[in-house]
Amino acid sequence: TESVMERAQELEITMDEVVTLASVIQREARISEDFTKISAVFHNRLKKQMTLGSCATVQFLINEDRWVLTEEEMKIDSPYNTYVHEGLPVGPIASPGRLALVSAVNPYEEFMDSNKPYLYFVLKDPKTGEHEFNTDYDQHLKDKAKYEDRWSD
């Protein structure tokens, strides 16, 4: 839409980058409230020149939609693997919907604080689709340990 294109110009990103980012958001988010929050995390990570670290990009590579990935899978050398390579994957990993596209250019402002940006998220429960968001890596690891037993159910 016109508003997405205008906002992309404000953010100085191309429409190809918007669609690629939106595709990753589409595959990561499970509930509507998380789309803009996940977008904020990815924008913050891009700004800090961190890897996106998206499980969805690895799921795309292995062509399997499962919650638990192996260390080996997360190290696959591919321009789509956002654990290995900084920035966006070389192209979309899914067809993003309208909410993902709008969220890609409208990240959740409360998560964008430059002094304490949100940089991490982990799936709380595959049944509800809720995520836990963090600014702190150690807390992220604690949350991951807390929730990962739910992923194999």
Side-chain angles (χ1 to χ4, degrees):
T1 64
E2 191 84 20
S3 63
V4 170
M5 291 181 353
E6 288 172 7
R7 183 72 176 128
Q9 286 179 332
E10 290 172 20
L11 295 171
E12 298 179 352
I13 57 178
T14 68
M15 282 307 297
D16 285 344
E17 291 168 328
V18 169
V19 171
T20 298
L21 176 57
S23 75
V24 179
I25 294 167
Q26 182 71 53
R27 291 291 313 265
E28 287 283 1
R30 303 283 184 242
I31 59 174
S32 58
E33 304 87 71
D34 284 353
F35 277 72
T36 58
K37 293 175 181 177
I38 289 171
S39 176
V41 169
F42 288 152
H43 277 276
N44 289 334
R45 292 179 74 89
L46 289 167
K47 194 178 298 179
K48 289 186 162 289
Q49 297 182 322
M50 297 172 68
T51 62
L52 292 185
S54 169
C55 293
T57 62
V58 177
Q59 291 166 340
F60 172 78
L61 286 172
I62 64 172
N63 198 28
E64 287 187 48
D65 192 13
R66 57 183 155 85
W67 306 114
V68 180
L69 300 170
T70 67
E71 288 293 321
E72 184 178 274
E73 289 167 337
M74 291 173 31
K75 292 178 181 174
I76 295 171
D77 187 15
S78 165
Y80 284 97
N81 189 343
T82 60
Y83 280 97
V84 175
H85 297 282
E86 284 182 20
L88 295 170
V90 295
I93 62 166
S95 297
R98 178 174 171 69
L99 180 56
L101 288 164
V102 171
S103 296
V105 294
N106 293 291
Y108 190 64
E109 286 297 323
E110 291 178 36
F111 280 18
M112 303 290 291
D113 182 341
S114 59
N115 294 321
K116 198 169 185 178
Y118 280 76
L119 297 169
Y120 310 98
F121 64 91
V122 63
L123 183 65
K124 279 187 186 180
D125 188 340
K127 293 175 184 141
T128 64
E130 295 173 274
H131 288 84
E132 185 74 40
F133 296 87
N134 288 292
T135 60
D136 177 76
Y137 184 65
D138 290 332
Q139 185 59 49
H140 168 69
L141 292 177
K142 288 176 189 173
D143 286 339
K144 182 179 177 197
K146 180 174 160 182
Y147 299 121
E148 64 188 344
D149 65 325
R150 298 178 184 184
W151 304 340
S152 58
D153 293 343

PDB file of all heavy atoms in Angstrom, residues 11-47:
ATOM      1  N   LEU A  11      12.165   4.962   6.613  1.00  0.00           N
ATOM      2  CA  LEU A  11      13.113   4.078   7.290  1.00  0.00           C
ATOM      3  C   LEU A  11      14.350   3.791   6.440  1.00  0.00           C
ATOM      4  O   LEU A  11      15.275   3.124   6.899  1.00  0.00           O
ATOM      5  CB  LEU A  11      12.427   2.758   7.656  1.00  0.00           C
ATOM      6  CG  LEU A  11      11.308   2.836   8.679  1.00  0.00           C
ATOM      7  CD1 LEU A  11      10.587   1.494   8.784  1.00  0.00           C
ATOM      8  CD2 LEU A  11      11.843   3.265  10.039  1.00  0.00           C
ATOM      9  N   GLU A  12      14.344   4.270   5.213  1.00  0.00           N
ATOM     10  CA  GLU A  12      15.432   4.072   4.264  1.00  0.00           C
ATOM     11  C   GLU A  12      15.691   2.598   3.984  1.00  0.00           C
ATOM     12  O   GLU A  12      16.825   2.123   3.989  1.00  0.00           O
ATOM     13  CB  GLU A  12      16.702   4.782   4.738  1.00  0.00           C
ATOM     14  CG  GLU A  12      16.523   6.288   4.841  1.00  0.00           C
ATOM     15  CD  GLU A  12      17.759   7.021   5.321  1.00  0.00           C
ATOM     16  OE1 GLU A  12      18.741   6.362   5.734  1.00  0.00           O
ATOM     17  OE2 GLU A  12      17.729   8.266   5.288  1.00  0.00           O
ATOM     18  N   ILE A  13      14.585   1.877   3.743  1.00  0.00           N
ATOM     19  CA  ILE A  13      14.684   0.480   3.325  1.00  0.00           C
ATOM     20  C   ILE A  13      13.868   0.298   2.052  1.00  0.00           C
ATOM     21  O   ILE A  13      12.894   1.001   1.822  1.00  0.00           O
ATOM     22  CB  ILE A  13      14.223  -0.501   4.432  1.00  0.00           C
ATOM     23  CG1 ILE A  13      12.790  -0.220   4.897  1.00  0.00           C
ATOM     24  CG2 ILE A  13      15.182  -0.483   5.597  1.00  0.00           C
ATOM     25  CD1 ILE A  13      12.284  -1.195   5.956  1.00  0.00           C
ATOM     26  N   THR A  14      14.319  -0.629   1.242  1.00  0.00           N
ATOM     27  CA  THR A  14      13.644  -0.877  -0.031  1.00  0.00           C
ATOM     28  C   THR A  14      12.396  -1.732   0.194  1.00  0.00           C
ATOM     29  O   THR A  14      12.258  -2.397   1.222  1.00  0.00           O
ATOM     30  CB  THR A  14      14.576  -1.611  -1.010  1.00  0.00           C
ATOM     31  OG1 THR A  14      14.812  -2.932  -0.503  1.00  0.00           O
ATOM     32  CG2 THR A  14      15.901  -0.867  -1.199  1.00  0.00           C
ATOM     33  N   MET A  15      11.529  -1.759  -0.778  1.00  0.00           N
ATOM     34  CA  MET A  15      10.341  -2.606  -0.694  1.00  0.00           C
ATOM     35  C   MET A  15      10.741  -4.085  -0.698  1.00  0.00           C
ATOM     36  O   MET A  15      10.092  -4.901  -0.051  1.00  0.00           O
ATOM     37  CB  MET A  15       9.350  -2.297  -1.811  1.00  0.00           C
ATOM     38  CG  MET A  15       8.528  -1.047  -1.559  1.00  0.00           C
ATOM     39  SD  MET A  15       7.679  -1.021   0.054  1.00  0.00           S
ATOM     40  CE  MET A  15       6.585  -2.417  -0.097  1.00  0.00           C
ATOM     41  N   ASP A  16      11.810  -4.435  -1.404  1.00  0.00           N
ATOM     42  CA  ASP A  16      12.306  -5.812  -1.343  1.00  0.00           C
ATOM     43  C   ASP A  16      12.700  -6.173   0.082  1.00  0.00           C
ATOM     44  O   ASP A  16      12.405  -7.276   0.559  1.00  0.00           O
ATOM     45  CB  ASP A  16      13.504  -6.017  -2.271  1.00  0.00           C
ATOM     46  CG  ASP A  16      13.118  -6.094  -3.746  1.00  0.00           C
ATOM     47  OD1 ASP A  16      11.917  -6.287  -4.045  1.00  0.00           O
ATOM     48  OD2 ASP A  16      14.018  -5.958  -4.587  1.00  0.00           O
ATOM     49  N   GLU A  17      13.371  -5.247   0.775  1.00  0.00           N
ATOM     50  CA  GLU A  17      13.758  -5.490   2.166  1.00  0.00           C
ATOM     51  C   GLU A  17      12.531  -5.569   3.077  1.00  0.00           C
ATOM     52  O   GLU A  17      12.485  -6.392   3.993  1.00  0.00           O
ATOM     53  CB  GLU A  17      14.713  -4.403   2.657  1.00  0.00           C
ATOM     54  CG  GLU A  17      16.071  -4.460   1.988  1.00  0.00           C
ATOM     55  CD  GLU A  17      16.930  -3.236   2.242  1.00  0.00           C
ATOM     56  OE1 GLU A  17      16.378  -2.116   2.383  1.00  0.00           O
ATOM     57  OE2 GLU A  17      18.161  -3.395   2.294  1.00  0.00           O
ATOM     58  N   VAL A  18      11.530  -4.740   2.809  1.00  0.00           N
ATOM     59  CA  VAL A  18      10.286  -4.783   3.584  1.00  0.00           C
ATOM     60  C   VAL A  18       9.630  -6.154   3.442  1.00  0.00           C
ATOM     61  O   VAL A  18       9.237  -6.779   4.429  1.00  0.00           O
ATOM     62  CB  VAL A  18       9.303  -3.665   3.149  1.00  0.00           C
ATOM     63  CG1 VAL A  18       7.929  -3.881   3.772  1.00  0.00           C
ATOM     64  CG2 VAL A  18       9.846  -2.294   3.506  1.00  0.00           C
ATOM     65  N   VAL A  19       9.527  -6.633   2.209  1.00  0.00           N
ATOM     66  CA  VAL A  19       8.880  -7.921   1.965  1.00  0.00           C
ATOM     67  C   VAL A  19       9.686  -9.054   2.607  1.00  0.00           C
ATOM     68  O   VAL A  19       9.114  -9.967   3.220  1.00  0.00           O
ATOM     69  CB  VAL A  19       8.672  -8.162   0.454  1.00  0.00           C
ATOM     70  CG1 VAL A  19       8.197  -9.585   0.177  1.00  0.00           C
ATOM     71  CG2 VAL A  19       7.695  -7.145  -0.112  1.00  0.00           C
ATOM     72  N   THR A  20      10.996  -8.989   2.509  1.00  0.00           N
ATOM     73  CA  THR A  20      11.835 -10.027   3.120  1.00  0.00           C
ATOM     74  C   THR A  20      11.692 -10.010   4.640  1.00  0.00           C
ATOM     75  O   THR A  20      11.479 -11.060   5.266  1.00  0.00           O
ATOM     76  CB  THR A  20      13.304  -9.847   2.698  1.00  0.00           C
ATOM     77  OG1 THR A  20      13.387  -9.994   1.274  1.00  0.00           O
ATOM     78  CG2 THR A  20      14.207 -10.864   3.365  1.00  0.00           C
ATOM     79  N   LEU A  21      11.779  -8.837   5.245  1.00  0.00           N
ATOM     80  CA  LEU A  21      11.603  -8.727   6.695  1.00  0.00           C
ATOM     81  C   LEU A  21      10.211  -9.188   7.101  1.00  0.00           C
ATOM     82  O   LEU A  21      10.043  -9.951   8.061  1.00  0.00           O
ATOM     83  CB  LEU A  21      11.847  -7.289   7.163  1.00  0.00           C
ATOM     84  CG  LEU A  21      11.612  -7.001   8.646  1.00  0.00           C
ATOM     85  CD1 LEU A  21      12.470  -7.901   9.537  1.00  0.00           C
ATOM     86  CD2 LEU A  21      11.892  -5.527   8.945  1.00  0.00           C
ATOM     87  N   ALA A  22       9.211  -8.761   6.370  1.00  0.00           N
ATOM     88  CA  ALA A  22       7.833  -9.151   6.669  1.00  0.00           C
ATOM     89  C   ALA A  22       7.653 -10.660   6.579  1.00  0.00           C
ATOM     90  O   ALA A  22       6.900 -11.251   7.364  1.00  0.00           O
ATOM     91  CB  ALA A  22       6.862  -8.442   5.721  1.00  0.00           C
ATOM     92  N   SER A  23       8.350 -11.307   5.663  1.00  0.00           N
ATOM     93  CA  SER A  23       8.233 -12.764   5.527  1.00  0.00           C
ATOM     94  C   SER A  23       8.775 -13.474   6.766  1.00  0.00           C
ATOM     95  O   SER A  23       8.215 -14.478   7.206  1.00  0.00           O
ATOM     96  CB  SER A  23       8.943 -13.254   4.260  1.00  0.00           C
ATOM     97  OG  SER A  23      10.355 -13.255   4.394  1.00  0.00           O
ATOM     98  N   VAL A  24       9.837 -12.937   7.338  1.00  0.00           N
ATOM     99  CA  VAL A  24      10.404 -13.531   8.553  1.00  0.00           C
ATOM    100  C   VAL A  24       9.461 -13.272   9.733  1.00  0.00           C
ATOM    101  O   VAL A  24       9.197 -14.167  10.538  1.00  0.00           O
ATOM    102  CB  VAL A  24      11.832 -12.995   8.828  1.00  0.00           C
ATOM    103  CG1 VAL A  24      12.397 -13.604  10.101  1.00  0.00           C
ATOM    104  CG2 VAL A  24      12.759 -13.270   7.643  1.00  0.00           C
ATOM    105  N   ILE A  25       8.939 -12.066   9.819  1.00  0.00           N
ATOM    106  CA  ILE A  25       7.965 -11.735  10.866  1.00  0.00           C
ATOM    107  C   ILE A  25       6.751 -12.660  10.745  1.00  0.00           C
ATOM    108  O   ILE A  25       6.267 -13.195  11.745  1.00  0.00           O
ATOM    109  CB  ILE A  25       7.541 -10.255  10.777  1.00  0.00           C
ATOM    110  CG1 ILE A  25       8.721  -9.338  11.085  1.00  0.00           C
ATOM    111  CG2 ILE A  25       6.364  -9.966  11.706  1.00  0.00           C
ATOM    112  CD1 ILE A  25       8.492  -7.873  10.720  1.00  0.00           C
ATOM    113  N   GLN A  26       6.268 -12.861   9.529  1.00  0.00           N
ATOM    114  CA  GLN A  26       5.111 -13.722   9.279  1.00  0.00           C
ATOM    115  C   GLN A  26       5.337 -15.123   9.835  1.00  0.00           C
ATOM    116  O   GLN A  26       4.439 -15.720  10.431  1.00  0.00           O
ATOM    117  CB  GLN A  26       4.826 -13.799   7.773  1.00  0.00           C
ATOM    118  CG  GLN A  26       3.617 -14.623   7.409  1.00  0.00           C
ATOM    119  CD  GLN A  26       2.322 -13.927   7.799  1.00  0.00           C
ATOM    120  OE1 GLN A  26       2.105 -12.789   7.431  1.00  0.00           O
ATOM    121  NE2 GLN A  26       1.481 -14.619   8.553  1.00  0.00           N
ATOM    122  N   ARG A  27       6.532 -15.650   9.625  1.00  0.00           N
ATOM    123  CA  ARG A  27       6.831 -17.018  10.078  1.00  0.00           C
ATOM    124  C   ARG A  27       7.117 -17.100  11.571  1.00  0.00           C
ATOM    125  O   ARG A  27       6.961 -18.146  12.177  1.00  0.00           O
ATOM    126  CB  ARG A  27       8.020 -17.571   9.301  1.00  0.00           C
ATOM    127  CG  ARG A  27       7.751 -17.854   7.830  1.00  0.00           C
ATOM    128  CD  ARG A  27       6.813 -19.025   7.599  1.00  0.00           C
ATOM    129  NE  ARG A  27       7.171 -20.174   8.397  1.00  0.00           N
ATOM    130  CZ  ARG A  27       7.928 -21.177   7.998  1.00  0.00           C
ATOM    131  NH1 ARG A  27       8.388 -21.199   6.769  1.00  0.00           N
ATOM    132  NH2 ARG A  27       8.224 -22.180   8.805  1.00  0.00           N
ATOM    133  N   GLU A  28       7.560 -15.997  12.181  1.00  0.00           N
ATOM    134  CA  GLU A  28       7.873 -16.009  13.617  1.00  0.00           C
ATOM    135  C   GLU A  28       6.644 -15.728  14.483  1.00  0.00           C
ATOM    136  O   GLU A  28       6.465 -16.345  15.518  1.00  0.00           O
ATOM    137  CB  GLU A  28       8.960 -14.974  13.943  1.00  0.00           C
ATOM    138  CG  GLU A  28      10.342 -15.353  13.469  1.00  0.00           C
ATOM    139  CD  GLU A  28      11.037 -16.393  14.338  1.00  0.00           C
ATOM    140  OE1 GLU A  28      10.450 -16.866  15.328  1.00  0.00           O
ATOM    141  OE2 GLU A  28      12.174 -16.746  14.007  1.00  0.00           O
ATOM    142  N   ALA A  29       5.848 -14.764  14.085  1.00  0.00           N
ATOM    143  CA  ALA A  29       4.711 -14.331  14.906  1.00  0.00           C
ATOM    144  C   ALA A  29       3.574 -15.335  14.819  1.00  0.00           C
ATOM    145  O   ALA A  29       3.292 -15.878  13.752  1.00  0.00           O
ATOM    146  CB  ALA A  29       4.243 -12.950  14.466  1.00  0.00           C
ATOM    147  N   ARG A  30       2.937 -15.541  15.949  1.00  0.00           N
ATOM    148  CA  ARG A  30       1.800 -16.458  16.003  1.00  0.00           C
ATOM    149  C   ARG A  30       0.503 -15.739  16.362  1.00  0.00           C
ATOM    150  O   ARG A  30      -0.567 -16.183  16.012  1.00  0.00           O
ATOM    151  CB  ARG A  30       2.052 -17.570  17.039  1.00  0.00           C
ATOM    152  CG  ARG A  30       3.303 -18.377  16.800  1.00  0.00           C
ATOM    153  CD  ARG A  30       3.092 -19.384  15.688  1.00  0.00           C
ATOM    154  NE  ARG A  30       4.251 -20.231  15.522  1.00  0.00           N
ATOM    155  CZ  ARG A  30       4.982 -20.292  14.416  1.00  0.00           C
ATOM    156  NH1 ARG A  30       4.684 -19.530  13.401  1.00  0.00           N
ATOM    157  NH2 ARG A  30       6.008 -21.096  14.332  1.00  0.00           N
ATOM    158  N   ILE A  31       0.620 -14.650  17.104  1.00  0.00           N
ATOM    159  CA  ILE A  31      -0.564 -13.880  17.497  1.00  0.00           C
ATOM    160  C   ILE A  31      -0.371 -12.436  17.050  1.00  0.00           C
ATOM    161  O   ILE A  31       0.746 -11.933  16.997  1.00  0.00           O
ATOM    162  CB  ILE A  31      -0.849 -13.965  19.020  1.00  0.00           C
ATOM    163  CG1 ILE A  31       0.330 -13.463  19.840  1.00  0.00           C
ATOM    164  CG2 ILE A  31      -1.212 -15.391  19.409  1.00  0.00           C
ATOM    165  CD1 ILE A  31       0.064 -13.397  21.337  1.00  0.00           C
ATOM    166  N   SER A  32      -1.464 -11.770  16.731  1.00  0.00           N
ATOM    167  CA  SER A  32      -1.384 -10.438  16.117  1.00  0.00           C
ATOM    168  C   SER A  32      -0.629  -9.424  16.967  1.00  0.00           C
ATOM    169  O   SER A  32       0.082  -8.586  16.432  1.00  0.00           O
ATOM    170  CB  SER A  32      -2.782  -9.928  15.760  1.00  0.00           C
ATOM    171  OG  SER A  32      -3.597  -9.876  16.905  1.00  0.00           O
ATOM    172  N   GLU A  33      -0.748  -9.514  18.299  1.00  0.00           N
ATOM    173  CA  GLU A  33      -0.071  -8.533  19.162  1.00  0.00           C
ATOM    174  C   GLU A  33       1.451  -8.621  19.073  1.00  0.00           C
ATOM    175  O   GLU A  33       2.139  -7.675  19.443  1.00  0.00           O
ATOM    176  CB  GLU A  33      -0.453  -8.728  20.636  1.00  0.00           C
ATOM    177  CG  GLU A  33      -1.913  -8.687  20.958  1.00  0.00           C
ATOM    178  CD  GLU A  33      -2.582 -10.049  20.807  1.00  0.00           C
ATOM    179  OE1 GLU A  33      -2.332 -10.958  21.631  1.00  0.00           O
ATOM    180  OE2 GLU A  33      -3.348 -10.205  19.857  1.00  0.00           O
ATOM    181  N   ASP A  34       1.974  -9.745  18.617  1.00  0.00           N
ATOM    182  CA  ASP A  34       3.428  -9.922  18.582  1.00  0.00           C
ATOM    183  C   ASP A  34       4.082  -9.460  17.284  1.00  0.00           C
ATOM    184  O   ASP A  34       5.297  -9.324  17.216  1.00  0.00           O
ATOM    185  CB  ASP A  34       3.787 -11.384  18.841  1.00  0.00           C
ATOM    186  CG  ASP A  34       3.659 -11.768  20.309  1.00  0.00           C
ATOM    187  OD1 ASP A  34       3.412 -10.871  21.149  1.00  0.00           O
ATOM    188  OD2 ASP A  34       3.807 -12.963  20.625  1.00  0.00           O
ATOM    189  N   PHE A  35       3.315  -9.221  16.234  1.00  0.00           N
ATOM    190  CA  PHE A  35       3.908  -8.858  14.946  1.00  0.00           C
ATOM    191  C   PHE A  35       4.786  -7.608  15.051  1.00  0.00           C
ATOM    192  O   PHE A  35       5.929  -7.611  14.610  1.00  0.00           O
ATOM    193  CB  PHE A  35       2.829  -8.673  13.879  1.00  0.00           C
ATOM    194  CG  PHE A  35       2.368  -9.952  13.241  1.00  0.00           C
ATOM    195  CD1 PHE A  35       1.579 -10.857  13.945  1.00  0.00           C
ATOM    196  CD2 PHE A  35       2.709 -10.256  11.934  1.00  0.00           C
ATOM    197  CE1 PHE A  35       1.130 -12.034  13.369  1.00  0.00           C
ATOM    198  CE2 PHE A  35       2.273 -11.437  11.338  1.00  0.00           C
ATOM    199  CZ  PHE A  35       1.483 -12.327  12.059  1.00  0.00           C
ATOM    200  N   THR A  36       4.265  -6.528  15.622  1.00  0.00           N
ATOM    201  CA  THR A  36       5.050  -5.289  15.706  1.00  0.00           C
ATOM    202  C   THR A  36       6.185  -5.416  16.712  1.00  0.00           C
ATOM    203  O   THR A  36       7.231  -4.784  16.558  1.00  0.00           O
ATOM    204  CB  THR A  36       4.173  -4.078  16.074  1.00  0.00           C
ATOM    205  OG1 THR A  36       3.522  -4.320  17.319  1.00  0.00           O
ATOM    206  CG2 THR A  36       3.159  -3.778  14.979  1.00  0.00           C
ATOM    207  N   LYS A  37       6.001  -6.248  17.727  1.00  0.00           N
ATOM    208  CA  LYS A  37       7.061  -6.456  18.725  1.00  0.00           C
ATOM    209  C   LYS A  37       8.229  -7.222  18.117  1.00  0.00           C
ATOM    210  O   LYS A  37       9.391  -6.871  18.326  1.00  0.00           O
ATOM    211  CB  LYS A  37       6.500  -7.182  19.947  1.00  0.00           C
ATOM    212  CG  LYS A  37       5.503  -6.345  20.726  1.00  0.00           C
ATOM    213  CD  LYS A  37       4.870  -7.134  21.848  1.00  0.00           C
ATOM    214  CE  LYS A  37       3.845  -6.284  22.594  1.00  0.00           C
ATOM    215  NZ  LYS A  37       3.160  -7.069  23.640  1.00  0.00           N
ATOM    216  N   ILE A  38       7.915  -8.264  17.358  1.00  0.00           N
ATOM    217  CA  ILE A  38       8.969  -9.014  16.675  1.00  0.00           C
ATOM    218  C   ILE A  38       9.666  -8.123  15.652  1.00  0.00           C
ATOM    219  O   ILE A  38      10.891  -8.149  15.514  1.00  0.00           O
ATOM    220  CB  ILE A  38       8.398 -10.303  16.054  1.00  0.00           C
ATOM    221  CG1 ILE A  38       8.043 -11.285  17.180  1.00  0.00           C
ATOM    222  CG2 ILE A  38       9.352 -10.919  15.035  1.00  0.00           C
ATOM    223  CD1 ILE A  38       7.267 -12.508  16.757  1.00  0.00           C
ATOM    224  N   SER A  39       8.901  -7.300  14.976  1.00  0.00           N
ATOM    225  CA  SER A  39       9.487  -6.330  14.045  1.00  0.00           C
ATOM    226  C   SER A  39      10.474  -5.424  14.769  1.00  0.00           C
ATOM    227  O   SER A  39      11.580  -5.172  14.279  1.00  0.00           O
ATOM    228  CB  SER A  39       8.383  -5.494  13.395  1.00  0.00           C
ATOM    229  OG  SER A  39       8.934  -4.493  12.580  1.00  0.00           O
ATOM    230  N   ALA A  40      10.107  -4.940  15.944  1.00  0.00           N
ATOM    231  CA  ALA A  40      10.994  -4.056  16.716  1.00  0.00           C
ATOM    232  C   ALA A  40      12.290  -4.767  17.078  1.00  0.00           C
ATOM    233  O   ALA A  40      13.380  -4.192  16.960  1.00  0.00           O
ATOM    234  CB  ALA A  40      10.281  -3.559  17.970  1.00  0.00           C
ATOM    235  N   VAL A  41      12.178  -6.017  17.519  1.00  0.00           N
ATOM    236  CA  VAL A  41      13.385  -6.782  17.855  1.00  0.00           C
ATOM    237  C   VAL A  41      14.294  -6.872  16.633  1.00  0.00           C
ATOM    238  O   VAL A  41      15.500  -6.617  16.716  1.00  0.00           O
ATOM    239  CB  VAL A  41      13.026  -8.183  18.396  1.00  0.00           C
ATOM    240  CG1 VAL A  41      14.266  -9.078  18.480  1.00  0.00           C
ATOM    241  CG2 VAL A  41      12.347  -8.076  19.760  1.00  0.00           C
ATOM    242  N   PHE A  42      13.737  -7.209  15.491  1.00  0.00           N
ATOM    243  CA  PHE A  42      14.549  -7.332  14.283  1.00  0.00           C
ATOM    244  C   PHE A  42      15.152  -5.990  13.858  1.00  0.00           C
ATOM    245  O   PHE A  42      16.319  -5.923  13.475  1.00  0.00           O
ATOM    246  CB  PHE A  42      13.746  -7.961  13.149  1.00  0.00           C
ATOM    247  CG  PHE A  42      13.476  -9.431  13.329  1.00  0.00           C
ATOM    248  CD1 PHE A  42      12.346 -10.002  12.764  1.00  0.00           C
ATOM    249  CD2 PHE A  42      14.324 -10.259  14.046  1.00  0.00           C
ATOM    250  CE1 PHE A  42      12.080 -11.357  12.901  1.00  0.00           C
ATOM    251  CE2 PHE A  42      14.076 -11.613  14.198  1.00  0.00           C
ATOM    252  CZ  PHE A  42      12.945 -12.164  13.622  1.00  0.00           C
ATOM    253  N   HIS A  43      14.378  -4.918  13.927  1.00  0.00           N
ATOM    254  CA  HIS A  43      14.935  -3.599  13.601  1.00  0.00           C
ATOM    255  C   HIS A  43      16.087  -3.248  14.542  1.00  0.00           C
ATOM    256  O   HIS A  43      17.121  -2.724  14.103  1.00  0.00           O
ATOM    257  CB  HIS A  43      13.846  -2.516  13.685  1.00  0.00           C
ATOM    258  CG  HIS A  43      13.012  -2.402  12.459  1.00  0.00           C
ATOM    259  ND1 HIS A  43      13.388  -1.650  11.361  1.00  0.00           N
ATOM    260  CD2 HIS A  43      11.810  -2.949  12.141  1.00  0.00           C
ATOM    261  CE1 HIS A  43      12.469  -1.728  10.427  1.00  0.00           C
ATOM    262  NE2 HIS A  43      11.486  -2.507  10.870  1.00  0.00           N
ATOM    263  N   ASN A  44      15.919  -3.520  15.819  1.00  0.00           N
ATOM    264  CA  ASN A  44      16.979  -3.238  16.793  1.00  0.00           C
ATOM    265  C   ASN A  44      18.232  -4.054  16.511  1.00  0.00           C
ATOM    266  O   ASN A  44      19.352  -3.544  16.590  1.00  0.00           O
ATOM    267  CB  ASN A  44      16.489  -3.519  18.219  1.00  0.00           C
ATOM    268  CG  ASN A  44      15.470  -2.507  18.692  1.00  0.00           C
ATOM    269  OD1 ASN A  44      15.431  -1.371  18.236  1.00  0.00           O
ATOM    270  ND2 ASN A  44      14.633  -2.924  19.626  1.00  0.00           N
ATOM    271  N   ARG A  45      18.050  -5.307  16.175  1.00  0.00           N
ATOM    272  CA  ARG A  45      19.195  -6.172  15.879  1.00  0.00           C
ATOM    273  C   ARG A  45      19.900  -5.709  14.596  1.00  0.00           C
ATOM    274  O   ARG A  45      21.133  -5.699  14.524  1.00  0.00           O
ATOM    275  CB  ARG A  45      18.760  -7.624  15.787  1.00  0.00           C
ATOM    276  CG  ARG A  45      18.318  -8.182  17.154  1.00  0.00           C
ATOM    277  CD  ARG A  45      17.852  -9.616  17.067  1.00  0.00           C
ATOM    278  NE  ARG A  45      18.951 -10.542  16.900  1.00  0.00           N
ATOM    279  CZ  ARG A  45      19.635 -11.106  17.889  1.00  0.00           C
ATOM    280  NH1 ARG A  45      19.313 -10.839  19.142  1.00  0.00           N
ATOM    281  NH2 ARG A  45      20.618 -11.941  17.635  1.00  0.00           N
ATOM    282  N   LEU A  46      19.132  -5.326  13.595  1.00  0.00           N
ATOM    283  CA  LEU A  46      19.731  -4.815  12.362  1.00  0.00           C
ATOM    284  C   LEU A  46      20.520  -3.541  12.633  1.00  0.00           C
ATOM    285  O   LEU A  46      21.632  -3.360  12.121  1.00  0.00           O
ATOM    286  CB  LEU A  46      18.648  -4.560  11.304  1.00  0.00           C
ATOM    287  CG  LEU A  46      18.000  -5.802  10.694  1.00  0.00           C
ATOM    288  CD1 LEU A  46      16.743  -5.424   9.912  1.00  0.00           C
ATOM    289  CD2 LEU A  46      18.990  -6.552   9.802  1.00  0.00           C
ATOM    290  N   LYS A  47      19.949  -2.664  13.442  1.00  0.00           N
ATOM    291  CA  LYS A  47      20.606  -1.405  13.773  1.00  0.00           C
ATOM    292  C   LYS A  47      21.935  -1.644  14.495  1.00  0.00           C
ATOM    293  O   LYS A  47      22.899  -0.918  14.302  1.00  0.00           O
ATOM    294  CB  LYS A  47      19.681  -0.557  14.657  1.00  0.00           C
ATOM    295  CG  LYS A  47      20.101   0.882  14.787  1.00  0.00           C
ATOM    296  CD  LYS A  47      19.127   1.680  15.630  1.00  0.00           C
ATOM    297  CE  LYS A  47      17.758   1.701  14.980  1.00  0.00           C
ATOM    298  NZ  LYS A  47      16.743   2.436  15.729  1.00  0.00           N
TER     299      LYS A  47
END
